[in-house]
């Protein structure tokens, strides 16, 4: 018997408590690692959406600025009166001035801006899930690239997005050549509304420089 114990030396046996503790530590480490991965993915997704929203809001202001600048070119003979004419209007004398209100802006098939007024007092507010469809943005496939639009062209493939855009026009000082524009983007992330809002005052600084 003595020789047997020399061949098979004694080993410390692991207790059940030690096994449970080991399993708990491994499980806790796995849970923490999983939580960090999920949090990182969510953070990256939100950062991506926030960047897209910022670019879309900036684009809304750029669209309004482009419409004004294009009016100066189209109606160079009367920049004082025609600077804030709607882009679909071709005759300044009977043209339609961009009035105060809420609008959508979208690129048509020829990459010119379309300005559409949303009436009936509708305003963008994702806290209420109704009445926002007019402001929804879609991805339209054009020439092997995707373009965000609010008015889709017929025959082109469109994909709904999670973003909504509203451009608001107002005139703080009627009779003065200043048009206040606000571009608002809203989207839902994990069921919560997020918003980016940018403002710019467009002026008719070309007034008096008619050709």
């Amino acid at each position: 018997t003595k020789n047997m114990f020399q061949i098979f030396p004694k080993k410390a046996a692991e207790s059940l408590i030690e096994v449970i503790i080991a399993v708990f530590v491994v499980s806790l480490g796995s849970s923490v690692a999983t939580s960090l991965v999920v949090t990182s993915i969510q953070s990256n997704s939100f950062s991506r959406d926030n960047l897209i929203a910022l670019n879309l809001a900036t684009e809304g202001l750029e669209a309004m600025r482009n419409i004004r600048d294009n009016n100066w070119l189209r109606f160079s003979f009367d920049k004082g009166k025609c600077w804030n004419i709607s882009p679909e209007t071709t005759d300044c004398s009977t043209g339609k001035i961009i009035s105060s209100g809420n609008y959508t802006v979208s690129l048509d098939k020829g990459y010119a801006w379309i300005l559409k007024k949303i009436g009936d007092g509708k305003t963008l507010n994702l806290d209420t899930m109704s009445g926002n469809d007019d402001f929804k943005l879609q991805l339209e496939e054009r020439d092997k690239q995707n373009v965000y639009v609010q008015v889709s062209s017929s025959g082109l493939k469109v994909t709904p997005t999670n973003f909504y855009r509203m451009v608001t026009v107002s005139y703080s000082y009627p009779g003065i050549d200043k048009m206040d524009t606000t571009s608002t983007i809203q989207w839902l992330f994990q069921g919560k509304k997020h918003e980016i809002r940018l403002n710019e005052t467009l002026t008719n600084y070309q007034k008096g420089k008619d050709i």
Side-chain angles (χ1 to χ4, degrees):
T1 304
K2 184 177 180 181
N3 293 334
M4 184 183 302
F5 281 115
Q6 289 176 347
I7 297 173
F8 301 103
K10 293 181 179 180
K11 294 184 179 179
E14 292 183 351
S15 68
L16 180 61
I17 295 178
E18 290 173 329
V19 173
I20 293 174
I21 291 175
V23 171
F24 173 75
V25 170
V26 171
S27 299
L28 181 62
S30 299
S31 298
V32 172
T34 302
S35 178
L36 288 174
V37 170
V38 171
T39 301
S40 177
I41 293 173
Q42 290 176 345
S43 178
N44 289 338
S45 297
F46 179 75
S47 297
R48 179 203 62 201
D49 287 353
N50 195 68
L51 180 59
I52 293 173
L54 179 59
N55 289 334
L56 290 171
T58 302
E59 183 185 66
L61 295 183
E62 290 176 347
M64 298 305 295
R65 195 182 314 120
N66 180 268
I67 290 171
R68 178 204 60 184
D69 294 351
N70 195 42
N71 281 336
W72 282 336
L73 295 174
R74 293 195 300 152
F75 308 111
S76 58
F77 56 88
D78 195 350
K79 296 177 182 178
K81 186 174 67 175
C82 305
W83 69 285
N84 57 345
I85 295 294
S86 295
E88 73 277 4
T89 303
T90 57
D91 187 352
C92 179
S93 61
T94 58
K96 182 181 177 183
I97 292 176
I98 301 171
S99 59
S100 297
N102 296 325
Y103 292 83
T104 62
V105 289
S106 189
L107 287 168
D108 66 14
K109 232 172 178 180
Y111 295 94
W113 289 109
I114 303 170
L115 189 62
K116 180 182 176 182
K117 189 170 186 178
I118 306 300
D120 301 326
K122 288 184 180 179
T123 187
L124 175 60
N125 184 8
L126 290 185
D127 287 329
T128 59
M129 292 308 297
S130 61
N132 297 303
D133 290 345
D134 289 320
F135 303 103
K136 190 172 182 65
L137 284 158
Q138 305 174 85
L139 273 176
E140 187 173 81
E141 190 176 314
R142 298 182 183 179
D143 305 322
K144 297 182 180 180
Q145 63 179 350
N146 291 322
V147 179
Y148 283 92
V149 297
Q150 287 175 295
V151 180
S152 59
S153 305
S154 60
L156 295 180
K157 181 181 178 181
V158 294
T159 305
T161 74
N162 197 33
F163 299 98
Y164 298 74
R165 178 168 62 197
M166 178 179 71
V167 173
T168 303
V169 173
S170 62
Y171 296 88
S172 301
Y173 305 97
I176 299 178
D177 292 333
K178 286 186 178 182
M179 180 170 65
D180 299 319
T181 58
T182 302
S183 181
T184 303
I185 300 293
Q186 290 185 4
W187 75 102
L188 294 176
F189 185 80
Q190 295 183 344
K192 183 180 179 181
K193 182 187 80 174
H194 297 272
E195 179 181 279
I196 288 181
R197 181 175 297 182
L198 302 178
N199 304 284
E200 183 177 17
T201 298
L202 299 175
T203 62
N204 187 22
Y205 64 83
Q206 289 283 343
K207 184 176 182 180
K209 299 180 181 179
D210 305 335
I211 297 176

